[in-house]
Amino acid sequence: MPEVRLTPDWNLELYRPIHIGVAGAVAAALAAAAAAASAGSALASAASMPLLGLTAAWLQRRRSRPSTSCRVQGFLETLEARDRYTASHCSRVAAFADLLAEELGLDDPKRLRNLRIAALLHDLGKLDVSLEILHKPGKLDDVEWRQMRAHVQAGTRRASCLTAGVRRIIAQHHERPDGRGYPRQLKGEQISLEARIVAVADAFDAMTSDRPYRKAVGADVALAELNRTSLGTSGRQQFDPEIVAALERRFTEAAALCTAEAARESSPHA
Ligand SMILES: [Fe+2]
């Protein structure tokens, strides 16, 4: 398996989005649906519908209150109108999170519901980051990074109308098991399982998506990088190794979401 060296803190950089058309995300979802259907996975039904329809149907299935469903859908429409990459990224992260939750045996309906909503909205705070920063093709300077990192608190604030469970996942999705994450430098199980799931799903999708200054890497390469950075060597551990192992067990289905079609649609200045 080829090794890829990304920046030491690559997961931070990956939050600067490029545009992948939602049509590409839907095409990817359809590809995943075909793969998942043959595997009899719960992902099949979720992945076979476009982003917003998927959300509405899922919320309905979970018997979410109409007000919650409307709010989530409203947030997603706002994200999509401003920045298509973030919206399509969020939809794929939600699909990966579903897959990981299933593999990890997370079956509490309330926790699953919170996980799905938080995965869909984890980058809601990007609405408060300037498009110049979000679309900057080169490296961000320190001031820009501070603004980028602030999307976590901004997203948590914007989600104040949602449950505390959802807000907690959004607030923790950039924390790391080794305490080097942000904004609170939480460690290990101080970070909720759901937030650790979103972190892995988020990184996997970010690595397998094209960016202005580097091409997407293959799903196998992304998995290798997740494995490497979850080992905990030299006191550094970026991801929960049990969740990365779960991704490895469901690799075929996860890789089906990472179609070249989605990557081809990217455009740094769209
Ligand atoms: Fe984020």
Side-chain angles (χ1 to χ4, degrees):
M1 191 178 291
E3 189 179 351
V4 62
R5 284 293 302 164
L6 302 170
T7 67
D9 223 356
W10 60 265
N11 70 320
L12 306 184
E13 281 207 12
L14 289 166
Y15 285 89
R16 279 181 296 140
I18 43 101
H19 292 277
I20 291 180
V22 172
V26 172
L30 290 170
S38 64
S41 165
L43 182 66
S45 59
S48 62
M49 287 177 278
L51 171 63
L52 297 178
L54 179 157
T55 308
W58 187 89
L59 289 167
Q60 199 171 31
R61 210 162 57 240
R62 296 288 174 191
R63 294 193 179 87
S64 295
R65 284 179 297 189
S67 58
T68 300
S69 176
C70 286
R71 284 170 184 149
V72 173
Q73 191 142 340
F75 282 140
L76 284 170
E77 285 171 355
T78 306
L79 270 176
E80 189 173 24
R82 183 169 187 255
D83 182 349
R84 287 167 56 203
Y85 168 76
T86 300
S88 58
H89 163 71
C90 287
S91 72
R92 290 190 301 273
V93 169
F96 291 135
D98 271 359
L99 188 67
L100 291 170
E102 184 179 90
E103 181 61 24
L104 291 162
L106 183 62
D107 55 7
D108 178 86
K110 188 175 173 185
R111 292 182 68 182
L112 281 173
R113 173 182 168 279
N114 286 342
L115 173 61
R116 163 55 75 90
I117 293 172
L120 282 166
L121 300 178
H122 70 281
D123 273 344
L124 184 61
K126 293 276 178 71
L127 290 171
D128 296 285
V129 180
S130 75
L131 290 174
E132 288 72 24
I133 291 176
L134 290 176
H135 298 168
K136 184 175 175 179
K139 287 187 178 300
L140 299 184
D141 62 30
D142 289 347
V143 173
E144 291 165 336
W145 271 122
R146 270 200 295 280
Q147 291 180 36
M148 182 63 90
R149 288 189 178 100
H151 82 273
V152 174
Q153 295 98 321
T156 309
R157 273 196 306 275
R158 281 184 177 267
S160 62
C161 57
L162 300 174
T163 65
V166 170
R167 292 198 308 276
R168 186 167 74 136
I169 301 169
I170 294 174
Q172 296 180 349
H173 81 273
H174 280 292
E175 301 288 356
R176 298 171 37 151
D178 62 8
R180 292 173 179 266
Y182 63 92
R184 295 180 58 207
Q185 293 79 51
L186 300 177
K187 279 189 176 179
E189 295 197 353
Q190 289 179 320
I191 309 164
S192 71
L193 172 65
E194 290 89 332
R196 285 178 272 142
I197 288 173
V198 171
V200 170
D202 188 12
F204 185 68
D205 183 68
M207 277 193 282
T208 54
S209 300
D210 270 354
R211 304 177 62 215
Y213 45 91
R214 75 155 173 76
K215 285 285 186 189
V217 300
D220 56 341
V221 178
L223 179 63
E225 179 66 4
L226 288 170
N227 269 316
R228 187 185 70 76
T229 50
S230 66
L231 287 177
T233 48
S234 308
R236 289 181 179 247
Q237 188 173 52
Q238 202 161 343
F239 302 103
D240 183 329
E242 289 184 21
I243 296 172
V244 176
L247 178 65
E248 190 156 14
R249 292 194 296 274
R250 302 295 290 268
F251 180 73
T252 303
E253 290 156 88
L257 272 165
C258 308
T259 61
E261 198 169 353
R264 272 200 304 273
E265 288 205 7
S266 67
S267 167
H269 301 292

